[in-house]
């Protein structure tokens, strides 16, 4: 009986060691949870904390804003930029109907006014670039288009943007200044739609922005025309009063206005205001 007495001591030691291991593991687990749940502050080079800034922008800004968005993300850990590109008039309507967004970049002051009148613009919009029209044709230019007046030929299949869309309003202004009447085979809701008709051979010509012609590269041929000077569009940008991420919204706007942002935009063919 006396020889068996050490057993309880060995059991007690094992229990103590077991409790110690459990406490050690619990301590490690607590440290891991704390570090993974800590969110960096938004804004700085190591900030963001998994936040998303949502930008609604004119279709003609697709390429440039996508590049700017990637650079903006790269400088801010955990920050994501999401875009919705489309006709400015459509985007303005979406904003007034409650679509969540932080920044709005329009292709004309007229479409921006819709947001301003609804008291949804946070401050005064700033014009950050200008854009002018160009005639786009298929690479082989089957309609032999050389000037704006050629678009009045009823034999040509011409595509324009719809009047409420900035590129449509600009086209109407240019044609009116030249005293020309063009009967389009299609009216598109944004400039990308008009350009696609030319790229696919469904149209002989379209009036689109110079920047879109440049972005399309060899898929289309661009033709400048002097009347475009009478219909240059100003592009305003603003943060929105109901922005889910107001601080990041202001940062993105300032990035667009920065020398880095302007360099990307002018390289794409946009003009300085």
């Amino acid at each position: 009986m006396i020889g068996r007495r050490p057993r309880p001591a060995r059991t007690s030691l094992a229990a103590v060691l077991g409790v110690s291991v459990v406490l050690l593991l619990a301590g490690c687990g607590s440290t891991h949870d704390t570090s993974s749940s800590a969110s960096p502050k938004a804004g700085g080079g190591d900030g963001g904390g998994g936040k998303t800034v949502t930008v609604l922008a004119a279709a003609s800004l697709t390429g440039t804003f996508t590049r700017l968005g990637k650079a903006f993300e790269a400088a801010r850990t955990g920050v994501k930029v999401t875009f919705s590109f489309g006709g400015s008039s459509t985007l303005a309507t979406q904003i007034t109907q409650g679509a969540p967004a932080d920044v709005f970049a329009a292709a004309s002051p007229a479409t921006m006014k819709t947001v301003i009148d609804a008291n949804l613009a946070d401050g005064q919009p700033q014009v950050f670039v200008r854009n002018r029209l160009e005639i786009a044709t298929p690479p082989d230019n089957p309609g032999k288009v050389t000037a704006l007046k050629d678009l009045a030929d009823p034999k040509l299949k011409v595509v324009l943007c719809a009047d409420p869309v900035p590129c449509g309003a600009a086209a109407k202004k240019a044609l009116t200044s030249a005293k020309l009447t063009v009967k389009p085979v299609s009216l598109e809701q944004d400039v990308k739609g008009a350009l696609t008709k030319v790229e696919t051979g469904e149209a002989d010509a379209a009036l689109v922005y110079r920047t879109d012609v440049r972005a399309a590269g060899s898929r289309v041929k661009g033709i400048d025309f002097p009347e475009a000077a009478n219909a240059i569009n100003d592009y305003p940008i603003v943060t929105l009063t109901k922005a889910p991420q107001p601080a990041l919204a202001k940062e993105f706007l300032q990035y667009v206005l920065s020398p880095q942002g302007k360099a990307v935009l002018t390289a794409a063919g946009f003009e300085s205001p």
Side-chain angles (χ1 to χ4, degrees):
M1 295 293 292
I2 296 175
R4 296 178 181 176
R5 287 181 181 176
R7 290 183 181 176
R10 288 197 297 269
T11 302
S12 176
L13 179 60
V16 171
L17 290 173
V19 170
S20 299
V21 171
V22 169
L23 290 174
L24 179 61
L25 291 175
C28 293
S30 176
T31 300
H32 175 75
D33 292 343
T34 301
S35 62
S36 65
S37 63
S39 298
K41 294 181 180 179
D46 58 353
K51 295 180 180 179
T52 298
V53 56
T54 303
V55 180
L56 271 59
S60 49
L61 293 167
T62 301
T64 51
F65 265 38
T66 298
R67 288 192 288 277
L68 290 176
K70 290 179 179 178
F72 188 81
E73 291 174 346
R76 294 161 178 79
T77 303
V79 171
K80 179 72 175 176
V81 183
T82 62
F83 294 99
S84 178
F85 297 106
S88 295
S89 56
T90 299
L91 297 176
T93 298
Q94 291 175 355
I95 292 170
T96 60
Q97 291 178 346
D102 296 290
V103 179
F104 178 43
S108 74
T111 47
M112 179 61 75
K113 188 175 184 297
T114 300
V115 174
I116 295 173
D117 290 346
N119 296 317
L120 294 173
D122 182 18
Q124 187 66 29
Q126 300 181 61
V127 174
F128 64 105
V129 287
R130 310 180 83 197
N131 210 352
R132 69 175 64 209
L133 295 175
E134 193 165 292
I135 300 170
T137 72
D140 58 347
N141 193 4
K144 309 302 179 186
V145 177
T146 60
L148 186 65
K149 63 181 178 61
D150 295 334
L151 303 187
D153 185 345
K155 296 178 183 178
L156 288 180
K157 293 181 290 183
V158 179
V159 172
L160 302 175
C161 294
D163 286 352
V165 182
C167 63
K172 184 176 181 179
K173 190 173 182 179
L175 292 169
T176 299
S177 70
K179 299 180 180 180
L180 293 172
T181 299
V182 174
K183 295 183 178 180
V185 295
S186 175
L187 291 171
E188 299 300 314
Q189 293 306 308
D190 61 53
V191 70
K192 295 297 183 184
L195 191 66
T196 298
K197 294 286 186 180
V198 174
E199 292 176 330
T200 58
E202 297 177 64
D204 297 314
L207 281 178
V208 298
Y209 293 122
R210 174 184 290 176
T211 53
D212 292 287
V213 171
R214 183 174 296 188
S218 61
R219 298 193 300 276
V220 300
K221 177 181 180 180
I223 301 169
D224 283 317
F225 59 97
E227 297 88 348
N230 300 321
I232 296 177
N233 275 11
D234 288 338
Y235 281 51
I237 186 171
V238 74
T239 58
L240 301 171
T241 57
K242 296 183 179 180
Q245 300 292 342
L248 282 175
K250 287 180 171 60
E251 282 192 43
F252 183 81
L253 185 149
Q254 289 305 317
Y255 185 70
V256 171
L257 299 175
S258 72
Q260 298 95 322
K262 289 180 179 179
V264 171
L265 291 159
T266 54
F270 287 99
E271 302 174 12
S272 297

